[in-house]
Amino acid sequence: MQQHVPVPTAESSALPTSEAVAEAGDAGRSADGGRRPRRVRWRLPDAGLVSLLLAAALWCYALPRIGFREMGDYGLLDRLPVAYHLSLLVLTAGFVLTLRRAGTAPWWPAAHCAALLFALKAPPAVLYDAVRYPWASKHDAVVDTLLANGELRPGAALSGNMSAYDQWPGFFTLNAGLVRAFGVESAATYANWAPIVLGLLMMPVLVLIYRTFCQDWRLVWTAVWIFQLANWVGQDYFAPQGLAYLLHLTVIAVVLRHFVRPGSAGRLRDRTFLDPAAATVPPPTGNRQRAVCVVVLAPLIAAVNATHQLTPVMLCICLFALTLTRRYRNYGLLAVAALLMLVWDLTMGRPLFVETLSTLKESIGDLTQNSRAGYAGQLTGPGPELAGTANVLMVLAVAALAGVALLLRRRLVRSALPLLLVSAAPVPLFAVNDYGGEMLFRVYLFGLPGAAFFAAAALVPAAAGKRRGRAPVARRRVAAVALPAVLLVLLTGFLPSYYGKETMYYTPPEETALVVRALDNAPDGSLILATSGSFPEALHRYDRLEHWFFAEQELPENERMLKDPAGYLADGIPPGTRAYVILTRTQDVYTAGEGLLPADGFETLRTALSASPLFRTVESHSYGVVLEYRPAARGTTTR
């Protein structure tokens, strides 16, 4: 009978045996009984550590060489040095290498995902001396106003569409507390770090969701990687949507893991029926446990309702989609979420809620209008046009990869069906409303976690050794080439999608100072005119001033306005109102890039108003001009 000799494992050989110690002692002695010099063995550094250190060195070298102050038509794209691109390539290569040991060392892919987030989105936070996205400054203005007044006025009629922020104040109340706690001057001090902070907080939430349906760490971290590359939408900036989105995903993660009904798994608990990478269904919970979870989740759901208008709707739709499955047919949580949303909409958010209901009859069913991409005109200029094209291609690429997984990994799709339903649930909102031209981006954002998971499933085959045969081997060989290739393609698409319109997003401090001076000097109740609200500090002192962003309309109407800008604006200014026109470089870039004004339309507007006797120049610079309306001169001019 052959004796079985156990093979020592890493765990069993971690501590030396007495025989091993004796052999080591004998090996350390020479033939004459003397001591021989101990042989030193050098271990090569881990590939994950090498790639992280090399990428960090390249990124730090590239950072001061990013010419963000001299951006042209292509935004930051042609201002990013070669070293920056090399750092991203090294990170991608290191991530692919660390995936091979993701099952035993998942912290290396995790570290690369965190490094990718920082490498992609930290340059503006480190470099910019202004808040990225000019319209983000209005959120800082809300925090300042809340700190100054110490109260909320949900029923007040504030111009510039600012009333909604007092009706959904959760994000601003939180940041008012942070400003006080940190002792900083304003939230603008840390606003540019929002994408990094929210992204890092979102990573463990995504991992919880993905691990609910998958036990293969390679697929999980690839899904997180793809999510970061495909999250070019820019909704993670300093705004209520980013915080509400994080809370939304947290609620979904808890539901997917702790709301499984007893006896609903069926064959999904049989490993022979599941995809090799699939995880078995989480343990079921009883009525009492689910009731406790509802109590725990209620404050989170209430926080979502206090933070953002659209996210509670998305949450209710996703919870409803989960009730379509036997596994998560829990009407109690859906009823609590819907009730909390309704209570908030009929109390704090009542003014905007009633206004939205009155417009639904015009927007319901208008798919063309509801799916427009946020701007009234056509994107113009090399950078915006490239960014728009890259946006479309990125959406199609992620959707195509997810579609491949739906066809090739049907057993994984069957076990992860709840995630598929949650991702597809927001799509019908296209038929309801355009959400100010933002619905397209919001639907994509809320569907992205599931789309990234299935896209990763198309690239990461079943673990080696699970299935034998020529087809699985060929599939793994194809994946070995397709995975890094696709990740590089997505990386190539992210950069123009995220940074192609950066000229609109960065504002020189001199322009910001000009706007603040003009608004500080304007008497209370004055009317502030500008082509759009996309310029720095546009809503500074918004609770004491009125606003008219006169070019935020269809292009034909703006072309009519340009025939006589002074007369057009004078006709819209109420009699007896002090009015000021502020025209800045950022407005010029924005109105041109978004197609609001024709070529040279902004310069035509500035020249005409500066030459008109109806407007007196208060301050003029290359980066902006401030004009005061002079109604007394109107009677002396001819039209």
Side-chain angles (χ1 to χ4, degrees):
M1 181 175 180
Q2 189 175 7
Q3 185 177 4
H4 175 69
V5 179
V7 178
T9 62
E11 291 79 4
S12 62
S13 60
L15 296 175
T17 62
S18 58
E19 292 81 6
V21 172
E23 291 177 4
D26 292 341
R29 300 181 184 276
S30 61
D32 58 1
R35 298 289 299 180
R36 290 186 304 185
R38 186 180 298 273
R39 183 178 298 174
V40 179
R41 295 184 179 182
W42 296 95
R43 292 184 60 188
L44 293 175
D46 192 283
L49 178 61
V50 171
S51 61
L52 287 175
L53 293 177
L54 180 57
L58 289 168
W59 191 86
C60 292
Y61 174 81
L63 192 65
R65 293 165 175 79
I66 298 177
F68 68 97
R69 297 185 190 278
E70 297 84 29
M71 287 187 289
D73 292 338
Y74 286 97
L76 273 184
L77 292 182
D78 55 358
R79 296 291 181 256
L80 296 172
V82 175
Y84 178 80
H85 297 284
L86 288 177
S87 70
L88 298 180
L89 291 177
V90 170
L91 268 181
T92 303
F95 174 74
V96 173
L97 289 175
T98 58
L99 282 182
R100 298 179 179 179
R101 297 188 296 115
T104 56
W107 53 84
W108 285 121
H112 280 74
C113 286
L116 177 71
L117 172 69
F118 195 88
L120 290 176
K121 296 186 176 181
V126 177
L127 295 175
Y128 286 8
D129 45 13
V131 176
R132 186 175 186 255
Y133 298 128
W135 52 87
S137 62
K138 67 182 179 181
H139 301 144
D140 179 41
V142 177
V143 176
D144 289 343
T145 303
L146 181 59
L147 286 170
N149 297 337
E151 63 177 358
L152 299 171
R153 297 175 296 167
L158 302 173
S159 69
N161 296 322
M162 299 298 285
S163 297
Y165 295 131
D166 274 7
Q167 296 167 23
W168 279 270
F171 174 79
F172 308 105
T173 305
L174 171 64
N175 279 278
L178 293 177
V179 169
R180 289 275 176 84
F182 294 155
V184 295
E185 183 179 353
S186 69
T189 307
Y190 57 82
N192 285 344
W193 289 97
I196 294 90
V197 173
L198 290 174
L200 291 175
L201 292 175
M202 205 170 297
M203 279 180 55
V205 179
L206 290 172
V207 170
L208 284 175
I209 293 175
Y210 296 153
R211 288 288 289 178
T212 303
F213 303 102
C214 176
Q215 64 178 7
D216 188 345
W217 277 110
R218 300 173 307 151
L219 198 157
V220 169
W221 288 117
T222 302
V224 174
W225 189 275
I226 291 176
F227 176 88
Q228 292 182 355
L229 290 178
N231 188 16
W232 49 263
V233 187
Q235 297 297 333
D236 53 359
Y237 72 112
F238 184 72
Q241 175 66 97
L243 175 61
Y245 185 59
L246 173 63
L247 297 175
H248 164 87
L249 289 182
T250 303
V251 173
I252 295 297
V254 173
V255 171
L256 292 176
R257 296 184 71 87
H258 299 290
F259 277 77
V260 178
R261 293 174 59 85
S264 61
R267 297 179 64 187
L268 295 179
R269 296 199 184 278
D270 183 0
R271 292 299 320 172
T272 61
F273 179 75
L274 296 175
D275 183 279
T280 55
V281 177
T285 53
N287 292 335
R288 180 176 298 179
Q289 292 172 294
R290 292 197 298 275
V292 171
C293 286
V294 170
V295 173
V296 172
L297 287 179
L300 279 180
I301 298 174
V304 173
N305 282 275
T307 302
H308 197 245
Q309 309 98 295
L310 182 64
T311 306
V313 180
M314 293 288 191
L315 179 60
C316 288
I317 290 177
C318 291
L319 293 177
F320 174 75
L322 289 177
T323 63
L324 301 178
T325 66
R326 288 184 58 212
R327 205 182 316 174
Y328 298 104
R329 192 170 297 163
N330 295 283
Y331 297 108
L333 180 63
L334 175 60
V336 169
L339 181 62
L340 287 173
M341 179 179 66
L342 188 61
V343 168
W344 190 277
D345 288 343
L346 294 179
T347 53
M348 286 288 290
R350 179 179 176 83
L352 184 61
F353 178 67
V354 173
E355 179 183 343
T356 303
L357 288 180
S358 65
T359 62
L360 285 182
K361 59 182 179 182
E362 300 175 0
S363 61
I364 286 182
D366 191 351
L367 297 180
T368 303
Q369 177 68 15
N370 293 345
S371 59
R372 65 187 177 93
Y375 36 82
Q378 185 72 26
L379 290 175
T380 58
E385 290 175 357
L386 178 61
T389 301
N391 295 164
V392 175
L393 293 178
M394 287 288 282
V395 174
L396 293 178
V398 174
L401 288 171
V404 170
L406 297 182
L407 293 175
L408 298 183
R409 303 195 69 170
R410 282 172 287 184
R411 289 198 295 172
L412 179 62
V413 173
R414 190 178 295 116
S415 60
L417 179 62
L419 183 57
L420 178 62
L421 291 176
V422 166
S423 301
V427 174
L429 286 180
F430 276 131
V432 179
N433 193 266
D434 69 340
Y435 198 66
E438 293 284 333
M439 187 61 75
L440 177 66
F441 302 120
R442 305 304 169 96
V443 168
Y444 173 77
L445 179 67
F446 281 87
L448 184 56
F453 175 82
F454 291 110
L459 297 173
V460 179
K466 296 292 185 180
R467 297 178 62 187
R468 300 184 182 276
R470 293 182 178 179
V473 172
R475 199 171 298 148
R476 286 194 289 271
R477 289 176 178 174
V478 171
V481 177
L483 175 61
V486 171
L487 295 186
L488 288 177
V489 169
L490 293 178
L491 176 62
T492 304
F494 174 89
L495 292 177
S497 295
Y498 195 72
Y499 286 125
K501 299 194 290 184
E502 197 66 21
T503 309
M504 302 180 191
Y505 303 155
Y506 170 72
T507 304
E510 297 83 1
E511 181 181 334
T512 303
L514 170 69
V515 175
V516 171
R517 281 196 304 272
L519 298 183
D520 280 341
N521 293 329
D524 289 358
S526 297
L527 176 64
I528 305 301
L529 288 77
T531 55
S532 76
S534 295
F535 65 99
E537 299 295 342
L539 291 154
H540 175 60
R541 297 182 64 220
Y542 69 91
D543 58 329
R544 300 189 178 189
L545 301 171
E546 300 295 324
H547 303 83
W548 178 21
F549 303 131
F550 55 85
E552 292 185 346
Q553 54 192 0
E554 299 295 332
L555 180 59
E557 182 64 18
N558 283 332
E559 290 176 336
R560 188 175 75 84
M561 178 265 296
L562 289 175
K563 294 178 181 179
D564 180 17
Y568 184 93
L569 298 184
D571 289 341
I573 298 175
T577 302
R578 294 285 297 271
Y580 297 86
V581 180
I582 301 178
L583 303 175
T584 66
R585 182 205 65 89
T586 304
Q587 294 179 51
D588 186 3
V589 176
Y590 181 83
T591 54
E594 297 289 356
L596 295 175
L597 293 177
D600 300 324
F602 190 88
E603 185 59 33
T604 300
L605 175 66
R606 173 171 174 163
T607 302
L609 293 180
S610 298
S612 171
L614 292 174
F615 295 90
R616 178 181 68 87
T617 301
V618 176
E619 193 172 353
S620 180
H621 304 277
S622 59
Y623 46 82
V625 60
V626 178
L627 305 165
E628 181 183 8
Y629 176 54
R630 300 175 61 195
R634 186 170 187 180
T636 63
T637 61
T638 57
R639 293 274 305 278

